[in-house]
Amino acid sequence: MQADPNSDQGFEQDAQANNEIDKLKQPHVASKHFFGSHASRRSFLGRAGLFSAASVVAGVLGSPFSSKKGEDIVQAQDINRRYNRSFDYNSFVNKAYRVRVEAARLERSIPIPPHPTNGDEERYPNKIGSDSRGLPHNGRGEVNLQAYNSLTKALTTQNPNDYENIILGGGRKLVNPQGPLAISLEGINAAQIAVPPPPALASADRAAEAVELYWQALLRDVPLSKFQNNTDNPKVLAAVEDLNKLSAFRGPKQNGRVTPQTLFRGSVNYVGSGSSTKYVTPPGVLDGPYISQFLLQTIPWGTQSVSPLIITALPGNDFLLNFPEWLTIQNGGSSGKSIKYDPKNRYIVTVRDLGEYAHVGGPTYLGASLILNSNGTPLNPGNPYVRSKTQIGANATFALGHFQALLNLASSRVIRASYWQKYYVQRTLRPEAYGGLVYNNIVNKTHYPLNSEVFNSNALAQTFSTFGTYLLPQAYPEAAPTHSSYSGGAAATAGVNVTLLKAFFDENFVILNPVVPDPNDPTKVIPYSGPPLTVGGELNKLATNYAIGRGHGGIHWRSDGSAALALGEEVAISLLRDERLGYNEIFNGFTFTKFDGTRVTV
């Protein structure tokens, strides 16, 4: 008797009929890292709108695509018999159905982990620790609570009409708050991904991140070639000295200390034991030049090519330096200012250049895939066609077109996960808003609860000496996008794409003919001479370059990017886990190195 596919019994029998998929293509769940055992923090997770897998399957089977008349099916069978087609069409269709059900079952089986916050939204009735940009504020920059409540009402009810009733303060609209509520048909649900809580407003960790950001603003026009241990640049040395005085700086170090070589290099934050945070520096990030090779090489694109030279801002393009301009931006208005660009394109050679690249972007990860495909980089040894005697991969599976399709899909899916944290869990304030609190404490004696280390830092003193303000200078006239800070969307995109690239290509391959920008001419490169640079290391560096580059612009905390990279990695692994269920090839999985240095097979 055939099982009813619309019932739970049909669901279970289909899963049993899919044993061959379980045996040959069982997705590797890397470790307990992918699973949790606790309830969610926010009530959103318990909403009745989260459907069971059985009801989703029932809905699909009830769609117009499954309502063909019986005579249409008979006609199709007659046509197939007439042409003596031996292919078992019914078996193929049923296999596709079972694969989709199995993917849904596996994703549903992943428990919801805890989602702790830093507690600032509940701690401060005036919401000074929460993101409120784009809403109306008073003269000190404190949000109108009616407007803030209109935002949180929409985020709680998730009624589309309530989003249209959010009270805004100016012309800027909120960026995609309903996007995270879209249900992805592949990969892990955002509610099943854990990230560590961000630093609290009054913590030493947050003060340390602020001090680093002030230094990033001060060093915007310093050449990145000066970020090495033999440097004589006084600003670099002053930044290193200042960061080493902090009690809770979490960036990369050598022998327990910040050095010119580690300054502003990237890091990744994972959920540690309990509610702790695990801080790691990915393999390769501290090796060689600051900028990844994938941002310095020409991108070959068929019969065309894309130059690595970029359009970048001239020195002196710094914004939100006075309080009226800062307040206008917090209210969602425009300062009317714009960036003045260098008329000559050049390589990324300064802190400002990387900040501008991360501001506008480029064909970053697609470009990396094209570079890897053309420069002799072998495919991941797990690729089933690497050892095939008779076949090669193509756009359908296991070749560049297939990989690039997954890169494009992943960028959308990871933003859903990142924005879910932004809107529905954390709602963390942006660095520019923290700069306003610093300013108010000094100028208006507001006594906001900020850690004293930011006020005692050389960075703050040098900022006032250089820019005449205690606000955090921004590299973009609009400052940050109108959504909250944690986790970083651009960094999450970097994390998911770089993880996929490490799964597709041999990460141990040594990059041929590496280069660095010519310190005497930023429009040229010269050969790099130093320890070998690997594909995996330079991909890790690419991800962290992009994540920390948003900090170079002044719009993201280090922890925003560090947590988002780990989030992106987990989304990538979940996409690969689902994708491999559908392959016909004999495939034992892709093995690669995560950002924390551990090996995983998917």
Side-chain angles (χ1 to χ4, degrees):
M1 180 177 177
Q2 187 174 6
D4 177 5
N6 292 316
S7 69
D8 285 332
Q9 180 185 10
F11 186 96
E12 292 168 0
Q13 290 182 3
D14 279 313
Q16 292 172 1
N18 200 33
N19 283 338
E20 72 274 14
I21 295 176
D22 284 332
K23 291 178 181 178
L24 294 177
K25 302 170 183 179
Q26 178 65 39
H28 176 80
V29 181
S31 68
K32 293 182 180 178
H33 169 68
F34 299 114
F35 295 91
S37 60
H38 303 285
S40 164
R41 179 192 181 279
R42 293 204 185 265
S43 61
F44 165 77
L45 302 176
R47 285 177 49 81
L50 295 178
F51 300 109
S52 69
S55 67
V56 172
V57 171
V60 171
L61 293 177
S63 72
F65 298 105
S66 63
S67 60
K68 285 194 171 188
K69 296 179 180 179
E71 56 265 29
D72 295 334
I73 298 174
V74 171
Q75 183 182 19
Q77 292 172 342
D78 287 343
I79 291 172
N80 293 336
R81 281 194 295 269
R82 188 184 314 158
Y83 289 97
N84 295 317
R85 293 172 178 158
S86 59
F87 190 86
D88 188 344
Y89 294 93
N90 287 333
S91 176
F92 190 44
V93 170
N94 288 336
K95 180 181 178 182
Y97 167 73
R98 293 196 303 271
V99 165
R100 292 175 181 179
V101 170
E102 177 67 0
R105 183 187 69 80
L106 287 167
E107 296 298 347
R108 187 177 66 166
S109 70
I110 299 174
I112 298 171
H115 292 287
T117 72
N118 61 16
D120 282 345
E121 186 174 60
E122 296 79 10
R123 186 175 294 119
Y124 304 114
N126 57 2
K127 307 305 177 188
I128 58 169
S130 303
D131 181 60
S132 60
R133 289 160 317 100
L135 308 181
H137 297 75
N138 65 20
R140 290 194 304 191
E142 294 179 7
V143 67
N144 177 296
L145 292 180
Q146 182 183 359
Y148 192 85
N149 290 338
S150 73
L151 170 64
T152 56
K153 177 184 178 181
L155 298 175
T156 301
T157 67
Q158 290 136 44
N159 182 331
N161 294 321
D162 287 337
Y163 292 88
E164 293 300 315
N165 293 322
I166 296 170
I167 301 169
L168 298 180
R172 294 183 77 185
K173 299 179 182 181
L174 301 181
V175 179
N176 206 194
Q178 293 187 73
L181 302 180
I183 301 300
S184 299
L185 300 182
E186 56 291 298
I188 196 170
N189 185 285
Q192 296 166 297
I193 303 174
V195 296
L201 178 68
S203 67
D205 295 74
R206 182 58 91 208
E209 291 192 320
V211 170
E212 182 181 36
L213 283 167
Y214 278 104
W215 277 116
Q216 284 173 287
L218 287 163
L219 271 65
R220 280 196 180 121
D221 298 308
V222 173
L224 293 168
S225 60
K226 297 295 185 180
F227 288 56
Q228 50 190 335
N229 288 341
N230 63 352
T231 189
D232 58 357
N233 186 277
K235 287 186 177 181
V236 171
L237 295 173
V240 166
E241 181 182 6
D242 207 26
L243 292 174
N244 277 318
K245 293 177 181 178
L246 300 171
S247 63
F249 180 69
R250 308 298 183 183
K253 299 178 181 178
Q254 292 176 326
N255 299 319
R257 292 186 60 79
V258 180
T259 70
Q261 180 73 15
T262 70
L263 186 64
F264 303 160
R265 301 256 179 164
S267 55
V268 177
N269 293 354
Y270 289 90
V271 174
S273 58
S275 60
S276 66
T277 302
K278 175 185 173 184
Y279 305 96
V280 304
T281 302
V285 165
L286 299 184
D287 297 339
Y290 185 96
I291 294 295
S292 170
Q293 291 298 300
F294 295 104
L295 295 176
L296 298 175
Q297 296 188 23
T298 297
I299 299 170
W301 201 338
T303 56
Q304 298 176 292
S305 60
V306 178
S307 170
L309 301 178
I310 70 165
I311 300 171
T312 190
L314 290 166
N317 277 268
D318 300 294
F319 305 94
L320 276 63
L321 301 182
N322 63 76
F323 195 81
E325 181 181 339
W326 175 89
L327 186 59
T328 296
I329 297 299
Q330 303 315 293
N331 285 330
S334 170
S335 67
K337 295 181 178 180
S338 59
I339 294 174
K340 295 179 176 62
Y341 290 99
D342 191 328
K344 181 178 290 187
N345 292 5
R346 64 171 183 259
Y347 287 94
I348 298 172
V349 295
T350 66
V351 170
R352 187 182 299 278
D353 293 345
L354 182 57
E356 185 58 24
Y357 183 85
H359 181 206
V360 178
T364 311
Y365 313 107
L366 172 66
S369 72
L370 291 165
I371 291 169
L372 289 165
N373 191 64
S374 67
N375 70 358
T377 302
L379 295 172
N380 188 300
N383 189 308
Y385 292 113
V386 167
R387 293 180 177 82
S388 175
K389 298 178 181 178
T390 60
Q391 307 166 79
I392 60 172
N395 284 4
T397 58
F398 296 104
L400 186 63
H402 174 212
F403 302 155
Q404 291 173 343
L406 290 178
L407 293 177
N408 287 327
L409 174 68
S411 294
S412 166
R413 298 306 181 255
V414 80
I415 285 296
R416 293 178 178 180
S418 172
Y419 281 27
W420 188 79
Q421 289 288 338
K422 286 177 180 290
Y423 282 111
Y424 296 94
V425 184
Q426 307 295 344
R427 300 198 277 272
T428 309
L429 87 166
R430 288 277 184 170
E432 68 192 66
Y434 184 97
L437 299 178
V438 171
Y439 175 96
N440 273 320
N441 266 16
I442 296 173
V443 176
N444 296 322
K445 312 300 181 185
T446 48
H447 304 292
Y448 291 131
L450 306 182
N451 188 279
S452 61
E453 291 190 9
V454 69
F455 298 106
N456 297 330
S457 68
N458 187 19
L460 191 60
Q462 288 296 319
T463 297
F464 185 77
S465 175
T466 303
F467 298 101
T469 186
Y470 296 109
L471 295 165
L472 177 63
Q474 300 288 296
Y476 318 141
E478 76 282 8
T482 47
H483 48 63
S484 73
S485 202
Y486 192 83
S487 62
T493 302
V496 74
N497 279 282
V498 159
T499 300
L500 290 172
L501 288 168
K502 287 190 289 186
F504 302 152
F505 292 95
D506 185 351
E507 63 181 336
N508 295 315
F509 185 72
V510 175
I511 290 180
L512 305 175
N513 304 315
V515 297
V516 293
D518 186 340
N520 298 315
D521 184 349
T523 67
K524 298 178 180 178
V525 290
I526 58 176
Y528 160 75
S529 58
L533 305 175
T534 65
V535 166
E538 290 302 292
L539 285 173
N540 288 341
K541 192 183 293 180
L542 176 65
T544 58
N545 278 166
Y546 210 101
I548 209 74
R550 303 286 277 183
H552 289 349
I555 69 171
H556 265 302
W557 306 101
R558 171 178 287 275
S559 56
D560 296 341
S562 298
L565 290 171
L567 179 150
E569 181 179 73
E570 189 155 358
V571 171
I573 288 171
S574 75
L575 291 172
L576 291 170
R577 197 166 60 219
D578 283 358
E579 180 78 4
R580 70 165 292 180
L581 285 172
Y583 298 149
N584 190 70
E585 293 91 343
I586 296 174
F587 177 56
N588 296 319
F590 290 125
T591 298
F592 57 90
T593 307
K594 294 171 57 180
F595 291 126
D596 66 358
T598 62
R599 300 280 284 173
V600 59
T601 298
V602 182

